[in-house]
Amino acid sequence: MRIAFHTLGCKVNQYETEAMKEQFSAAGHRIVGEEDFADAYVINTCTVTNLADRKSRQYIRRMKNVNPEAIIAVTGCYAQVSPEEVSRIEGVNVVAGTNEKQNLLRYIEDALTEKGGILQHVLPPDRLTEYCSTGIVTSMESRTRAYIKIQEGCNRFCSYCIIPYARGRVRSRALPEIIEEAEGLISQGFREIILTGINTALYGEDLGYGGIEPLIGRLNALEGDFRIRLSSLEPTVINAEYVKRLLQYEKLCPHLHLSVQSGSDRILSAMNRHYTGREYLEIVKVLQDFDPLYGITTDIIAGFPGESEEDFADSLRIIDEAGFCKVHAFRYSRRKGTRASEMKEQVDGNVKNRRSRELMEKAEQAASVFYGKCRGACRRVLFEEETAEGFLTGYTDNYVRVYVQGAHSLLNQFSMVKLLEEYQDGMKGEIVNG
C-alpha cells in the first residue's frame, strides 16, 4: 500500500509523523510524497488557529481529487477537538484522536475492509491520561539534527490556547525509552538532539522527577560528540533558580525558546500566564550572566483581548530589555473553545494588524542588535546543508544561522566559526579551526 503523509503545525506533530512513517514502513507499506498518488493519505492536523483547520480541509479535498478511491485518515489536534466536524468532510474515512496515532495503521487497514461508514477513534480530553508511545524513532529526514518527543499534554490552560483540550493532561515518556532513542540516533551520527513536547518544562511532573533536569543529566552523560537543545521552556513553569541548575550541563546549548507572549503584567494575568515581566527578565538575566550571547527566542501576541496601547508598548519595551535573538510575532486569533474567545474587549482587526507589523519591525531590529553583539565572536557551528549560492549553512550553539564558504566535507560536522556580519536570516562567518 502506498501511504502519503501531510503534517501541519508544531515540531511534536512532525516527530509523530516520522514515527508513524516508520510503523508503516516496518509493516511493508511504501511511503510516497504528500502530493503523489497514494492508496491512503494521513493528515496530521493542527488546531491552534482556525486557519490551521482550514488548511487541513483543503488538503483532504485536494488529495481526494488525486485519488477518489484513497483512504483519508485524519489525526492530530483538529481531529481530537472537532471529530464530528472532521467526520462531515466529504471523503474522510478515519478520524483518530491525538492518543490514537500509534493505532492508525490498524485503523486504515480496517477502513480498507469496511463497506462505507466513518471509523472514529477519539477519546474525550479527560481520558487522555496515559502516554501512548509511537515507538522508538530510528531516523529523520535531516541527518544532523534529531527530535525526540519527551512528553505529552499541558496543565496550564492559558486563556487563548486550545491545546490542553487537544492533548490532555501532562503525561511523560519513560526516561529509559528516551535514553534508548537518543543512543540510537547518536550512534547513527546525529550531532544534535532536540527535546520536544507540548510543554517540555513539565516533563517528569507526573513521574516524580521534579522537572526536566534529571533527563538532561542522563543525556549529558552519554558518550559522543553531540549537543542537546531544548525546543522550549515555559516561564509559567520555571524560574531563575531553575534555569541556574540547567547551566551546569556542558552539552546543553546556550539557547532557549522562552515564550513571553506579552510584556504587560495586566495582559499576562488575563492570559493566565503565572509570571510578571520582571520575573521573566530575571530568568533572562541569569542566562545572559552565564553567557552574554546566550540565544533567547520568544513568542509575542499582538492584539490580545483588552490590550491597550500602553499594554502593547510594554511588549515592545520587553523586546529591547530582553535582547532577544529572534521574536515570533503573532496576531491574536480568536479560537473557539478558549476563554479568550469569550472575552468582551476584542481588539479591532485593523489595530491587531498594525500592532503585529510593529512587533515584526521591532523583532527585526532586535535580531540586528543581537547579530551586532555577536560580530567577532567565535562559536561552534553544526553545518547542515549547502545552499544554491555555494555557502555551507548551519546553526551556532546559541542559535544563529551561519553562512560560510567551505568544503562539503564539513557537513554534519562541528566547526569553530568567527561571526563576521549580518547576512540574510543570520550571519556570514569564516572557519577558524580548519
Side-chain angles (χ1 to χ4, degrees):
M1 182 164 55
R2 292 159 297 186
I3 312 287
F5 289 83
H6 181 69
T7 309
L8 295 103
C10 65
K11 298 297 184 184
V12 174
N13 261 11
Q14 293 175 35
Y15 171 90
E16 290 169 341
T17 294
E18 291 300 322
M20 288 189 287
K21 285 180 179 179
E22 291 201 9
Q23 286 183 344
F24 280 74
S25 294
H29 302 297
R30 182 157 63 95
I31 309 301
V32 300
E34 63 179 46
E35 299 291 337
D36 293 343
F37 185 93
D39 302 299
Y41 294 92
V42 176
I43 301 94
N44 194 1
T45 62
C46 172
T47 196
V48 168
T49 65
N50 295 328
L51 176 60
D53 294 350
R54 185 162 72 247
K55 286 181 177 179
S56 297
R57 294 191 293 267
Q58 290 171 345
Y59 183 80
I60 291 166
R61 296 181 181 115
R62 189 163 76 247
M63 292 305 99
K64 204 64 179 177
N65 288 332
V66 173
N67 182 7
E69 302 302 316
I71 296 294
I72 301 289
V74 184
T75 188
C77 292
Y78 181 30
Q80 177 68 46
V81 171
S82 306
E84 299 304 327
E85 180 178 312
V86 173
S87 295
R88 289 194 295 270
I89 301 172
E90 185 177 356
V92 170
N93 306 97
V94 177
V95 181
T98 52
N99 243 38
E100 298 295 329
K101 294 178 183 181
Q102 76 279 5
N103 299 319
L104 201 57
L105 172 57
R106 174 162 55 87
Y107 297 154
I108 289 175
E109 290 173 342
D110 289 346
L112 288 169
T113 62
E114 290 287 330
K115 302 298 182 182
I118 297 171
L119 303 179
Q120 191 177 114
H121 305 273
V122 181
L123 292 173
D126 61 354
R127 291 183 60 192
L128 301 179
T129 57
E130 295 184 7
Y131 186 91
C132 294
S133 177
T134 46
I136 299 288
V137 173
T138 60
S139 65
M140 296 273 170
E141 286 188 12
S142 163
R143 297 305 306 172
T144 57
R145 308 162 78 213
Y147 287 89
I148 298 181
K149 180 183 172 184
I150 65 170
Q151 65 84 227
E152 179 66 272
C154 183
N155 301 344
R156 294 291 142 166
F157 292 94
C158 297
S159 61
Y160 53 83
C161 185
I162 197 70
I163 294 305
Y165 306 97
R167 292 281 185 167
R169 306 289 284 181
V170 169
R171 293 96 73 201
S172 299
R173 188 178 183 186
L175 195 151
E177 186 175 295
I178 297 172
I179 299 301
E180 181 184 351
E181 183 164 314
E183 288 175 330
L185 293 166
I186 294 164
S187 70
Q188 289 184 59
F190 286 94
R191 311 302 292 273
E192 182 171 306
I193 301 298
I194 306 167
L195 304 182
T196 190
I198 300 304
N199 192 332
T200 52
L202 292 171
Y203 175 79
E205 182 182 82
D206 53 325
L207 301 177
Y209 292 161
I212 199 172
E213 187 183 352
L215 171 59
I216 299 295
R218 287 284 301 277
L219 289 169
N220 191 75
L222 294 179
E223 294 183 0
D225 187 14
F226 69 98
R227 64 191 186 189
I228 306 162
R229 195 181 296 276
L230 290 171
S231 61
S232 65
L233 284 183
E234 276 290 311
T236 56
V237 181
I238 64 165
N239 56 26
E241 290 303 313
Y242 186 101
V243 297
K244 281 181 183 177
R245 298 198 302 271
L246 295 182
L247 297 177
Q248 66 181 297
Y249 299 109
E250 69 276 4
K251 287 181 179 176
L252 185 61
C253 290
H255 159 242
L256 271 182
H257 186 77
L258 201 63
S259 292
V260 66
Q261 303 299 4
S262 175
S264 162
D265 290 350
R266 192 178 71 85
I267 295 301
L268 287 172
S269 178
M271 289 176 167
N272 198 34
R273 305 280 288 180
H274 298 283
Y275 55 88
T276 64
R278 179 184 60 79
E279 290 167 336
Y280 182 92
L281 290 171
E282 286 175 358
I283 300 174
V284 169
K285 185 177 186 306
V286 168
L287 299 173
Q288 293 175 343
D289 283 349
F290 173 77
D291 181 348
L293 298 180
Y294 201 104
I296 304 170
T297 55
T298 200
D299 304 312
I300 299 182
I301 296 173
F304 185 82
E307 183 187 65
S308 67
E309 290 298 333
E310 291 77 14
D311 295 321
F312 178 64
D314 287 339
S315 289
L316 295 177
R317 188 176 304 114
I318 206 167
I319 294 176
D320 288 329
E321 292 177 350
F324 297 116
C325 67
K326 189 170 187 178
V327 177
H328 301 273
F330 296 93
R331 178 184 185 275
Y332 171 73
S333 177
R334 200 169 186 172
R335 185 64 180 83
K336 183 180 178 181
T338 64
R339 280 184 290 153
S341 70
E342 303 301 321
M343 292 178 178
K344 293 181 180 179
E345 297 180 73
Q346 298 292 323
V347 176
D348 177 78
N350 290 328
V351 174
K352 287 194 286 189
N353 288 338
R354 189 254 304 165
R355 290 179 184 171
S356 63
R357 286 196 301 271
E358 289 185 33
L359 270 182
M360 287 186 280
E361 290 170 3
K362 177 65 77 172
E364 290 178 3
Q365 294 169 13
S368 289
V369 170
F370 186 80
Y371 296 149
K373 291 178 181 178
C374 289
R375 190 175 295 117
C378 292
R379 307 294 299 205
R380 201 172 190 227
V381 175
L382 175 59
F383 288 108
E384 300 178 36
E385 60 184 347
E386 190 169 2
T387 70
E389 297 79 21
F391 287 101
L392 288 183
T393 183
Y395 285 89
T396 62
D397 52 354
N398 63 338
Y399 207 61
V400 174
R401 184 159 188 163
V402 174
Y403 296 82
V404 304
Q405 292 179 323
H408 182 80
S409 61
L410 293 177
L411 287 174
N412 200 30
Q413 301 295 323
F414 289 115
S415 295
M416 291 301 295
V417 174
K418 183 177 181 179
L419 304 180
L420 301 177
E421 61 183 352
E422 187 173 347
Y423 177 73
Q424 293 187 5
D425 56 345
M427 298 186 73
K428 281 185 179 179
E430 63 181 8
I431 304 294
V432 295
N433 66 339

